[in-house]
Amino acid sequence: MPVRDSYDAVIVGGGHNGLVAAAYLARAGQSVLVLERLATTGGAAVSTRPFAGVDARLSRYSYLVSLLPPKIVRDLGLDFAVRKRTVSSYTPAVRDGRATGLLVGGDRTRDSFAALTGSDREYEAWQRFYGLTGQVAERVFPTLTEPLPTRDALWERIGDPDAWRMLFEEPIGVAVEDNFADDLVRGVVLTDALIGTFADAHDPSLLQNRCFLYHVIGGGTGDWDVPVGGMGALTDALAGAALAAGAQIRTGHEAVRIDTDGSHAEVTVRTASGESTVGARRVLVNASPEALAALLGDAPPAPAEGAQLKVNMLLTRLPRLKDRSVDPREAFGGTFHIAEGYGQLADAHRDAAAGRLPAAPPSEIYCHSLTDPSILGADLAARGYQTLTLFGLHTPARLFAADNDATRATLLKATLAELEAHLEEPLADCLALDADGAPCIEAKTPLDLERDLRLPGGHIFHRDLAFPYAAPETGRWGVETAHANVLLCGAGAVRGGGVSGVPGHNAAMAALGR
C-alpha cells in the first residue's frame, strides 16, 4: 500500500486532548495531521441536540471543567471561558421526620451545617479538611503541565506529612471518618473519591484516593466550573486553534494500524472509500491504552471497566422540593447529591460488587442552564426551560452485560425514584417533550459509552487513574510508550482523566523535546 503523505506528527483521535496536542505542535512549526473516525471532532467533550426538534445544545457526555489549566487556554489563545457556580452542593435529607438538607456555598453554609447537625462541629471540621486539600491543590496542580516529579519530590512540594498520609498512604475513608461524624456530611466528602471510579472508601488499592485527589486539585482550588456554551465550545475552540496554526483535521478517517521502527511510522487509515497509509516521524494516540495496543499489535493492558450512569434531561421548569428552606434554583445550581450518605454509598458498592444493581442508586445532578443559559434557544430560555445533568455512581459495566437496554431502564427508574423522594411532585410533570411527543430524557450506561465512544468498558478515564508522580514504568512526561516515536496523549496517560488537555499538552512537550 503506497504512503500518500508524510507529516512531522500524526495524531490519532480528535478528542480534546488530541486537539490540544495538534495546536501546540502546529504552533511550533510542525506539520500535523489529526485523524478522527467520527464525523466531528470532540470525542466525549461535545455539545449536541439530543432531543428531536428541540433547540437545547447539551454537553452530552463530559459536562464540567476543573482540571483544564489556564496555561493551555492562554498558550493557545482559546476563545473559551468558564463560570463559577454560586452554590457548591445541596444534599437533601430527612431528620426527625422533617425534610431538610445541607447547602454548601455562600453565606448560608455555616447555618446550614448547624441546622442539619445541631452544632458548628461539622462545619469547622469541613473548613479544616478543605483548607488542607486546598493547600495541596495549590502545590500539586501546577505540576500537571511539568515533567513528572518523583514521589519524593512531590512529597517535598506538598510539605505536610498529615496531608500526604491522608491522600497518598491511607484509604480516604480513614480521613473521612476521623474528621467527620455526620453520615450525610461524610457521604458528601466521599463522592469526590467515587466519580467515575468503582471503589469502596477503604479499598486498599487507594484507587479512591487517586480519584479524590484529581477532584480536589483542579485549578489549584478544586472548583468545578461550567463551560460557557457547553463542552462543545471548548473543543470547537481547540479545533479552531489547531487549524489556525496549520494543522490538518480529517474526520471520517479511522486509524486501524500503526507500524513503527522507532524513528519513522506509518499509519493505516480507513475511510468510506477504502484504506491508505500516511507516514509520520511521530504518532500521538488520543485513544485508550487498549486501543493503542491494538493499533500497534502489542499485548493488551488489563481490562478497564466504567461504573457510571449519565442522564441528560430538559425540563419546562425545575421541580419543587420538599425542603422548603431552599430554592430549587439554589439546590440544582450546584451539585444535588442523591442517596449519597456515607452508609448509602457503602451499601451501593456492596450491592454492585455482589452483581446486582444498587437498591438505592447514588447519583448527583446539576443544572447547566442556571449558570449558562446560552445553551438554550432564545424561546426555551424565555419560557424558563432548564437542563438537568445526572451522573450515577456504582453501576459497573458488568451489571449491564446480560441485557443493556432492560437494565438501563430499570436503573433509570430506580435512580429517578431516589430523586423524587425529595420532590413535591413527579419529575415527569416537569419534563419537556420533543417534536415527537417523547419526554426529553436520555440515559447512557458504560456499555453505551463503549459503543458510542469506544471507551474501554465505558471507563471515562480510559483506565484507573494514577498518582501524579513518576513510577518505574512511566517516562519523563507520563505519555511515553515502549515505542520511541509513539506517545499516548489520551486520558489513559499519567495525569489523564477528566477534561483537562493535560495529556495533550504533555505529549506535545515530549514530542518537542521540551
Side-chain angles (χ1 to χ4, degrees), residues 109-139:
T109 303
R110 178 189 284 272
D111 291 342
S112 185
F113 269 95
L116 179 76
T117 66
S119 76
D120 283 338
R121 180 197 178 281
E122 294 292 82
Y123 173 77
E124 292 167 355
W126 181 278
Q127 294 294 94
R128 290 192 301 271
F129 183 85
Y130 284 105
L132 191 64
T133 65
Q135 292 175 14
V136 173
E138 290 175 356
R139 296 165 189 175

PDB file of all heavy atoms in Angstrom, residues 109-139:
ATOM      1  N   THR A 109     -23.691  28.653  54.396  1.00  0.00           N
ATOM      2  CA  THR A 109     -23.087  27.343  54.634  1.00  0.00           C
ATOM      3  C   THR A 109     -23.026  27.002  56.119  1.00  0.00           C
ATOM      4  O   THR A 109     -23.457  25.916  56.536  1.00  0.00           O
ATOM      5  CB  THR A 109     -21.673  27.280  54.026  1.00  0.00           C
ATOM      6  OG1 THR A 109     -21.753  27.574  52.630  1.00  0.00           O
ATOM      7  CG2 THR A 109     -21.075  25.897  54.208  1.00  0.00           C
ATOM      8  N   ARG A 110     -22.512  27.903  56.937  1.00  0.00           N
ATOM      9  CA  ARG A 110     -22.393  27.614  58.365  1.00  0.00           C
ATOM     10  C   ARG A 110     -23.759  27.327  58.990  1.00  0.00           C
ATOM     11  O   ARG A 110     -23.922  26.358  59.740  1.00  0.00           O
ATOM     12  CB  ARG A 110     -21.711  28.767  59.105  1.00  0.00           C
ATOM     13  CG  ARG A 110     -21.587  28.541  60.621  1.00  0.00           C
ATOM     14  CD  ARG A 110     -21.112  29.786  61.348  1.00  0.00           C
ATOM     15  NE  ARG A 110     -19.695  30.005  61.154  1.00  0.00           N
ATOM     16  CZ  ARG A 110     -18.736  29.485  61.929  1.00  0.00           C
ATOM     17  NH1 ARG A 110     -19.064  28.684  62.945  1.00  0.00           N
ATOM     18  NH2 ARG A 110     -17.472  29.761  61.707  1.00  0.00           N
ATOM     19  N   ASP A 111     -24.728  28.168  58.666  1.00  0.00           N
ATOM     20  CA  ASP A 111     -26.063  27.970  59.230  1.00  0.00           C
ATOM     21  C   ASP A 111     -26.676  26.652  58.757  1.00  0.00           C
ATOM     22  O   ASP A 111     -27.396  25.985  59.515  1.00  0.00           O
ATOM     23  CB  ASP A 111     -26.978  29.132  58.832  1.00  0.00           C
ATOM     24  CG  ASP A 111     -26.598  30.441  59.511  1.00  0.00           C
ATOM     25  OD1 ASP A 111     -25.865  30.389  60.522  1.00  0.00           O
ATOM     26  OD2 ASP A 111     -27.020  31.503  59.018  1.00  0.00           O
ATOM     27  N   SER A 112     -26.395  26.266  57.522  1.00  0.00           N
ATOM     28  CA  SER A 112     -26.936  25.025  57.000  1.00  0.00           C
ATOM     29  C   SER A 112     -26.346  23.821  57.731  1.00  0.00           C
ATOM     30  O   SER A 112     -27.062  22.879  58.080  1.00  0.00           O
ATOM     31  CB  SER A 112     -26.671  24.921  55.495  1.00  0.00           C
ATOM     32  OG  SER A 112     -27.289  23.777  54.947  1.00  0.00           O
ATOM     33  N   PHE A 113     -25.044  23.858  57.984  1.00  0.00           N
ATOM     34  CA  PHE A 113     -24.415  22.792  58.780  1.00  0.00           C
ATOM     35  C   PHE A 113     -25.040  22.721  60.170  1.00  0.00           C
ATOM     36  O   PHE A 113     -25.353  21.633  60.667  1.00  0.00           O
ATOM     37  CB  PHE A 113     -22.910  23.037  58.899  1.00  0.00           C
ATOM     38  CG  PHE A 113     -22.080  22.396  57.823  1.00  0.00           C
ATOM     39  CD1 PHE A 113     -21.715  23.101  56.688  1.00  0.00           C
ATOM     40  CD2 PHE A 113     -21.649  21.079  57.943  1.00  0.00           C
ATOM     41  CE1 PHE A 113     -20.940  22.523  55.697  1.00  0.00           C
ATOM     42  CE2 PHE A 113     -20.876  20.487  56.962  1.00  0.00           C
ATOM     43  CZ  PHE A 113     -20.519  21.209  55.825  1.00  0.00           C
ATOM     44  N   ALA A 114     -25.207  23.882  60.801  1.00  0.00           N
ATOM     45  CA  ALA A 114     -25.751  23.908  62.156  1.00  0.00           C
ATOM     46  C   ALA A 114     -27.182  23.387  62.193  1.00  0.00           C
ATOM     47  O   ALA A 114     -27.565  22.633  63.100  1.00  0.00           O
ATOM     48  CB  ALA A 114     -25.685  25.327  62.718  1.00  0.00           C
ATOM     49  N   ALA A 115     -27.993  23.767  61.199  1.00  0.00           N
ATOM     50  CA  ALA A 115     -29.380  23.307  61.169  1.00  0.00           C
ATOM     51  C   ALA A 115     -29.460  21.798  60.967  1.00  0.00           C
ATOM     52  O   ALA A 115     -30.339  21.126  61.519  1.00  0.00           O
ATOM     53  CB  ALA A 115     -30.134  24.034  60.057  1.00  0.00           C
ATOM     54  N   LEU A 116     -28.537  21.255  60.173  1.00  0.00           N
ATOM     55  CA  LEU A 116     -28.558  19.819  59.895  1.00  0.00           C
ATOM     56  C   LEU A 116     -28.038  19.002  61.065  1.00  0.00           C
ATOM     57  O   LEU A 116     -28.626  17.983  61.444  1.00  0.00           O
ATOM     58  CB  LEU A 116     -27.724  19.512  58.650  1.00  0.00           C
ATOM     59  CG  LEU A 116     -27.653  18.042  58.259  1.00  0.00           C
ATOM     60  CD1 LEU A 116     -28.959  17.615  57.598  1.00  0.00           C
ATOM     61  CD2 LEU A 116     -26.470  17.776  57.335  1.00  0.00           C
ATOM     62  N   THR A 117     -26.924  19.462  61.675  1.00  0.00           N
ATOM     63  CA  THR A 117     -26.217  18.635  62.661  1.00  0.00           C
ATOM     64  C   THR A 117     -26.405  19.094  64.099  1.00  0.00           C
ATOM     65  O   THR A 117     -26.042  18.365  65.028  1.00  0.00           O
ATOM     66  CB  THR A 117     -24.714  18.611  62.350  1.00  0.00           C
ATOM     67  OG1 THR A 117     -24.154  19.924  62.540  1.00  0.00           O
ATOM     68  CG2 THR A 117     -24.461  18.175  60.911  1.00  0.00           C
ATOM     69  N   GLY A 118     -26.935  20.302  64.316  1.00  0.00           N
ATOM     70  CA  GLY A 118     -27.178  20.788  65.667  1.00  0.00           C
ATOM     71  C   GLY A 118     -26.009  21.463  66.336  1.00  0.00           C
ATOM     72  O   GLY A 118     -26.088  21.833  67.505  1.00  0.00           O
ATOM     73  N   SER A 119     -24.891  21.639  65.610  1.00  0.00           N
ATOM     74  CA  SER A 119     -23.729  22.321  66.187  1.00  0.00           C
ATOM     75  C   SER A 119     -22.845  22.828  65.059  1.00  0.00           C
ATOM     76  O   SER A 119     -23.112  22.591  63.874  1.00  0.00           O
ATOM     77  CB  SER A 119     -22.923  21.373  67.083  1.00  0.00           C
ATOM     78  OG  SER A 119     -22.169  20.472  66.304  1.00  0.00           O
ATOM     79  N   ASP A 120     -21.753  23.520  65.437  1.00  0.00           N
ATOM     80  CA  ASP A 120     -20.786  24.015  64.451  1.00  0.00           C
ATOM     81  C   ASP A 120     -19.648  23.030  64.210  1.00  0.00           C
ATOM     82  O   ASP A 120     -18.754  23.305  63.403  1.00  0.00           O
ATOM     83  CB  ASP A 120     -20.183  25.345  64.926  1.00  0.00           C
ATOM     84  CG  ASP A 120     -21.131  26.512  64.732  1.00  0.00           C
ATOM     85  OD1 ASP A 120     -22.044  26.394  63.888  1.00  0.00           O
ATOM     86  OD2 ASP A 120     -20.953  27.535  65.418  1.00  0.00           O
ATOM     87  N   ARG A 121     -19.682  21.872  64.903  1.00  0.00           N
ATOM     88  CA  ARG A 121     -18.538  20.967  64.831  1.00  0.00           C
ATOM     89  C   ARG A 121     -18.232  20.512  63.405  1.00  0.00           C
ATOM     90  O   ARG A 121     -17.082  20.557  62.948  1.00  0.00           O
ATOM     91  CB  ARG A 121     -18.783  19.729  65.706  1.00  0.00           C
ATOM     92  CG  ARG A 121     -17.620  18.747  65.672  1.00  0.00           C
ATOM     93  CD  ARG A 121     -17.980  17.358  66.168  1.00  0.00           C
ATOM     94  NE  ARG A 121     -16.848  16.463  66.069  1.00  0.00           N
ATOM     95  CZ  ARG A 121     -16.439  15.874  64.945  1.00  0.00           C
ATOM     96  NH1 ARG A 121     -17.075  16.115  63.808  1.00  0.00           N
ATOM     97  NH2 ARG A 121     -15.391  15.080  64.938  1.00  0.00           N
ATOM     98  N   GLU A 122     -19.274  20.064  62.674  1.00  0.00           N
ATOM     99  CA  GLU A 122     -19.036  19.550  61.324  1.00  0.00           C
ATOM    100  C   GLU A 122     -18.594  20.665  60.373  1.00  0.00           C
ATOM    101  O   GLU A 122     -17.743  20.434  59.510  1.00  0.00           O
ATOM    102  CB  GLU A 122     -20.291  18.864  60.779  1.00  0.00           C
ATOM    103  CG  GLU A 122     -20.692  17.606  61.527  1.00  0.00           C
ATOM    104  CD  GLU A 122     -19.697  16.476  61.345  1.00  0.00           C
ATOM    105  OE1 GLU A 122     -18.674  16.482  62.073  1.00  0.00           O
ATOM    106  OE2 GLU A 122     -19.919  15.595  60.502  1.00  0.00           O
ATOM    107  N   TYR A 123     -19.133  21.853  60.547  1.00  0.00           N
ATOM    108  CA  TYR A 123     -18.725  22.968  59.707  1.00  0.00           C
ATOM    109  C   TYR A 123     -17.249  23.292  59.932  1.00  0.00           C
ATOM    110  O   TYR A 123     -16.489  23.498  58.968  1.00  0.00           O
ATOM    111  CB  TYR A 123     -19.575  24.197  59.978  1.00  0.00           C
ATOM    112  CG  TYR A 123     -19.095  25.436  59.256  1.00  0.00           C
ATOM    113  CD1 TYR A 123     -19.342  25.593  57.900  1.00  0.00           C
ATOM    114  CD2 TYR A 123     -18.380  26.423  59.935  1.00  0.00           C
ATOM    115  CE1 TYR A 123     -18.886  26.723  57.228  1.00  0.00           C
ATOM    116  CE2 TYR A 123     -17.925  27.557  59.265  1.00  0.00           C
ATOM    117  CZ  TYR A 123     -18.175  27.702  57.916  1.00  0.00           C
ATOM    118  OH  TYR A 123     -17.711  28.818  57.255  1.00  0.00           O
ATOM    119  N   GLU A 124     -16.828  23.332  61.185  1.00  0.00           N
ATOM    120  CA  GLU A 124     -15.433  23.643  61.483  1.00  0.00           C
ATOM    121  C   GLU A 124     -14.502  22.544  60.967  1.00  0.00           C
ATOM    122  O   GLU A 124     -13.406  22.826  60.456  1.00  0.00           O
ATOM    123  CB  GLU A 124     -15.269  23.852  62.985  1.00  0.00           C
ATOM    124  CG  GLU A 124     -15.966  25.124  63.477  1.00  0.00           C
ATOM    125  CD  GLU A 124     -16.095  25.195  64.986  1.00  0.00           C
ATOM    126  OE1 GLU A 124     -15.714  24.199  65.661  1.00  0.00           O
ATOM    127  OE2 GLU A 124     -16.577  26.228  65.486  1.00  0.00           O
ATOM    128  N   ALA A 125     -14.954  21.284  61.078  1.00  0.00           N
ATOM    129  CA  ALA A 125     -14.166  20.176  60.530  1.00  0.00           C
ATOM    130  C   ALA A 125     -14.067  20.297  59.014  1.00  0.00           C
ATOM    131  O   ALA A 125     -13.022  20.020  58.413  1.00  0.00           O
ATOM    132  CB  ALA A 125     -14.794  18.838  60.917  1.00  0.00           C
ATOM    133  N   TRP A 126     -15.168  20.702  58.376  1.00  0.00           N
ATOM    134  CA  TRP A 126     -15.194  20.905  56.922  1.00  0.00           C
ATOM    135  C   TRP A 126     -14.180  21.972  56.514  1.00  0.00           C
ATOM    136  O   TRP A 126     -13.419  21.794  55.545  1.00  0.00           O
ATOM    137  CB  TRP A 126     -16.608  21.326  56.525  1.00  0.00           C
ATOM    138  CG  TRP A 126     -16.858  21.563  55.071  1.00  0.00           C
ATOM    139  CD1 TRP A 126     -16.578  22.694  54.359  1.00  0.00           C
ATOM    140  CD2 TRP A 126     -17.474  20.658  54.144  1.00  0.00           C
ATOM    141  NE1 TRP A 126     -16.981  22.555  53.058  1.00  0.00           N
ATOM    142  CE2 TRP A 126     -17.526  21.310  52.897  1.00  0.00           C
ATOM    143  CE3 TRP A 126     -17.990  19.377  54.257  1.00  0.00           C
ATOM    144  CZ2 TRP A 126     -18.079  20.725  51.763  1.00  0.00           C
ATOM    145  CZ3 TRP A 126     -18.545  18.778  53.131  1.00  0.00           C
ATOM    146  CH2 TRP A 126     -18.575  19.443  51.898  1.00  0.00           C
ATOM    147  N   GLN A 127     -14.163  23.062  57.243  1.00  0.00           N
ATOM    148  CA  GLN A 127     -13.226  24.146  56.942  1.00  0.00           C
ATOM    149  C   GLN A 127     -11.782  23.680  57.069  1.00  0.00           C
ATOM    150  O   GLN A 127     -10.934  23.999  56.228  1.00  0.00           O
ATOM    151  CB  GLN A 127     -13.483  25.337  57.876  1.00  0.00           C
ATOM    152  CG  GLN A 127     -14.826  26.023  57.677  1.00  0.00           C
ATOM    153  CD  GLN A 127     -14.924  26.709  56.328  1.00  0.00           C
ATOM    154  OE1 GLN A 127     -15.423  26.127  55.364  1.00  0.00           O
ATOM    155  NE2 GLN A 127     -14.452  27.931  56.258  1.00  0.00           N
ATOM    156  N   ARG A 128     -11.481  22.928  58.126  1.00  0.00           N
ATOM    157  CA  ARG A 128     -10.104  22.426  58.308  1.00  0.00           C
ATOM    158  C   ARG A 128      -9.724  21.447  57.198  1.00  0.00           C
ATOM    159  O   ARG A 128      -8.633  21.513  56.633  1.00  0.00           O
ATOM    160  CB  ARG A 128      -9.961  21.752  59.672  1.00  0.00           C
ATOM    161  CG  ARG A 128      -9.999  22.690  60.859  1.00  0.00           C
ATOM    162  CD  ARG A 128      -9.551  21.969  62.121  1.00  0.00           C
ATOM    163  NE  ARG A 128     -10.389  20.811  62.426  1.00  0.00           N
ATOM    164  CZ  ARG A 128     -11.487  20.858  63.168  1.00  0.00           C
ATOM    165  NH1 ARG A 128     -11.890  22.020  63.684  1.00  0.00           N
ATOM    166  NH2 ARG A 128     -12.197  19.769  63.408  1.00  0.00           N
ATOM    167  N   PHE A 129     -10.641  20.521  56.903  1.00  0.00           N
ATOM    168  CA  PHE A 129     -10.355  19.471  55.932  1.00  0.00           C
ATOM    169  C   PHE A 129     -10.095  20.063  54.552  1.00  0.00           C
ATOM    170  O   PHE A 129      -9.083  19.751  53.893  1.00  0.00           O
ATOM    171  CB  PHE A 129     -11.538  18.501  55.877  1.00  0.00           C
ATOM    172  CG  PHE A 129     -11.344  17.319  54.973  1.00  0.00           C
ATOM    173  CD1 PHE A 129     -10.689  16.182  55.414  1.00  0.00           C
ATOM    174  CD2 PHE A 129     -11.830  17.333  53.668  1.00  0.00           C
ATOM    175  CE1 PHE A 129     -10.523  15.086  54.589  1.00  0.00           C
ATOM    176  CE2 PHE A 129     -11.667  16.244  52.837  1.00  0.00           C
ATOM    177  CZ  PHE A 129     -11.011  15.116  53.307  1.00  0.00           C
ATOM    178  N   TYR A 130     -10.983  20.948  54.113  1.00  0.00           N
ATOM    179  CA  TYR A 130     -10.807  21.516  52.779  1.00  0.00           C
ATOM    180  C   TYR A 130      -9.771  22.631  52.747  1.00  0.00           C
ATOM    181  O   TYR A 130      -9.260  22.979  51.668  1.00  0.00           O
ATOM    182  CB  TYR A 130     -12.154  21.950  52.205  1.00  0.00           C
ATOM    183  CG  TYR A 130     -12.945  20.745  51.732  1.00  0.00           C
ATOM    184  CD1 TYR A 130     -14.024  20.257  52.469  1.00  0.00           C
ATOM    185  CD2 TYR A 130     -12.567  20.051  50.596  1.00  0.00           C
ATOM    186  CE1 TYR A 130     -14.722  19.131  52.060  1.00  0.00           C
ATOM    187  CE2 TYR A 130     -13.253  18.922  50.182  1.00  0.00           C
ATOM    188  CZ  TYR A 130     -14.325  18.461  50.917  1.00  0.00           C
ATOM    189  OH  TYR A 130     -15.001  17.331  50.511  1.00  0.00           O
ATOM    190  N   GLY A 131      -9.437  23.161  53.900  1.00  0.00           N
ATOM    191  CA  GLY A 131      -8.275  24.033  53.959  1.00  0.00           C
ATOM    192  C   GLY A 131      -7.009  23.253  53.648  1.00  0.00           C
ATOM    193  O   GLY A 131      -6.128  23.731  52.925  1.00  0.00           O
ATOM    194  N   LEU A 132      -6.951  22.028  54.163  1.00  0.00           N
ATOM    195  CA  LEU A 132      -5.790  21.172  53.920  1.00  0.00           C
ATOM    196  C   LEU A 132      -5.731  20.747  52.452  1.00  0.00           C
ATOM    197  O   LEU A 132      -4.673  20.825  51.811  1.00  0.00           O
ATOM    198  CB  LEU A 132      -5.865  19.935  54.815  1.00  0.00           C
ATOM    199  CG  LEU A 132      -4.613  19.057  54.899  1.00  0.00           C
ATOM    200  CD1 LEU A 132      -3.457  19.815  55.521  1.00  0.00           C
ATOM    201  CD2 LEU A 132      -4.916  17.795  55.700  1.00  0.00           C
ATOM    202  N   THR A 133      -6.857  20.299  51.893  1.00  0.00           N
ATOM    203  CA  THR A 133      -6.839  19.898  50.485  1.00  0.00           C
ATOM    204  C   THR A 133      -6.568  21.095  49.576  1.00  0.00           C
ATOM    205  O   THR A 133      -5.954  20.946  48.509  1.00  0.00           O
ATOM    206  CB  THR A 133      -8.153  19.218  50.068  1.00  0.00           C
ATOM    207  OG1 THR A 133      -9.241  20.150  50.158  1.00  0.00           O
ATOM    208  CG2 THR A 133      -8.443  17.997  50.927  1.00  0.00           C
ATOM    209  N   GLY A 134      -6.989  22.279  50.008  1.00  0.00           N
ATOM    210  CA  GLY A 134      -6.715  23.481  49.225  1.00  0.00           C
ATOM    211  C   GLY A 134      -5.232  23.781  49.144  1.00  0.00           C
ATOM    212  O   GLY A 134      -4.725  24.192  48.095  1.00  0.00           O
ATOM    213  N   GLN A 135      -4.520  23.567  50.244  1.00  0.00           N
ATOM    214  CA  GLN A 135      -3.070  23.765  50.229  1.00  0.00           C
ATOM    215  C   GLN A 135      -2.396  22.765  49.295  1.00  0.00           C
ATOM    216  O   GLN A 135      -1.458  23.103  48.565  1.00  0.00           O
ATOM    217  CB  GLN A 135      -2.515  23.616  51.643  1.00  0.00           C
ATOM    218  CG  GLN A 135      -2.930  24.721  52.595  1.00  0.00           C
ATOM    219  CD  GLN A 135      -2.464  24.460  54.024  1.00  0.00           C
ATOM    220  OE1 GLN A 135      -1.620  23.604  54.258  1.00  0.00           O
ATOM    221  NE2 GLN A 135      -3.021  25.203  54.966  1.00  0.00           N
ATOM    222  N   VAL A 136      -2.882  21.512  49.323  1.00  0.00           N
ATOM    223  CA  VAL A 136      -2.342  20.501  48.408  1.00  0.00           C
ATOM    224  C   VAL A 136      -2.610  20.900  46.964  1.00  0.00           C
ATOM    225  O   VAL A 136      -1.741  20.787  46.091  1.00  0.00           O
ATOM    226  CB  VAL A 136      -2.940  19.120  48.719  1.00  0.00           C
ATOM    227  CG1 VAL A 136      -2.536  18.096  47.672  1.00  0.00           C
ATOM    228  CG2 VAL A 136      -2.507  18.649  50.109  1.00  0.00           C
ATOM    229  N   ALA A 137      -3.822  21.371  46.693  1.00  0.00           N
ATOM    230  CA  ALA A 137      -4.186  21.762  45.331  1.00  0.00           C
ATOM    231  C   ALA A 137      -3.271  22.861  44.804  1.00  0.00           C
ATOM    232  O   ALA A 137      -2.804  22.807  43.656  1.00  0.00           O
ATOM    233  CB  ALA A 137      -5.640  22.232  45.296  1.00  0.00           C
ATOM    234  N   GLU A 138      -3.000  23.855  45.625  1.00  0.00           N
ATOM    235  CA  GLU A 138      -2.140  24.960  45.206  1.00  0.00           C
ATOM    236  C   GLU A 138      -0.752  24.473  44.810  1.00  0.00           C
ATOM    237  O   GLU A 138      -0.117  25.036  43.910  1.00  0.00           O
ATOM    238  CB  GLU A 138      -2.014  25.989  46.334  1.00  0.00           C
ATOM    239  CG  GLU A 138      -3.283  26.776  46.599  1.00  0.00           C
ATOM    240  CD  GLU A 138      -3.123  27.696  47.796  1.00  0.00           C
ATOM    241  OE1 GLU A 138      -2.048  27.641  48.453  1.00  0.00           O
ATOM    242  OE2 GLU A 138      -4.058  28.463  48.077  1.00  0.00           O
ATOM    243  N   ARG A 139      -0.281  23.418  45.468  1.00  0.00           N
ATOM    244  CA  ARG A 139       1.078  22.941  45.236  1.00  0.00           C
ATOM    245  C   ARG A 139       1.168  21.866  44.156  1.00  0.00           C
ATOM    246  O   ARG A 139       2.184  21.759  43.476  1.00  0.00           O
ATOM    247  CB  ARG A 139       1.653  22.420  46.556  1.00  0.00           C
ATOM    248  CG  ARG A 139       1.776  23.530  47.597  1.00  0.00           C
ATOM    249  CD  ARG A 139       1.992  23.024  49.005  1.00  0.00           C
ATOM    250  NE  ARG A 139       1.883  24.129  49.963  1.00  0.00           N
ATOM    251  CZ  ARG A 139       1.935  23.986  51.276  1.00  0.00           C
ATOM    252  NH1 ARG A 139       2.089  22.779  51.817  1.00  0.00           N
ATOM    253  NH2 ARG A 139       1.834  25.034  52.060  1.00  0.00           N
TER     254      ARG A 139
END
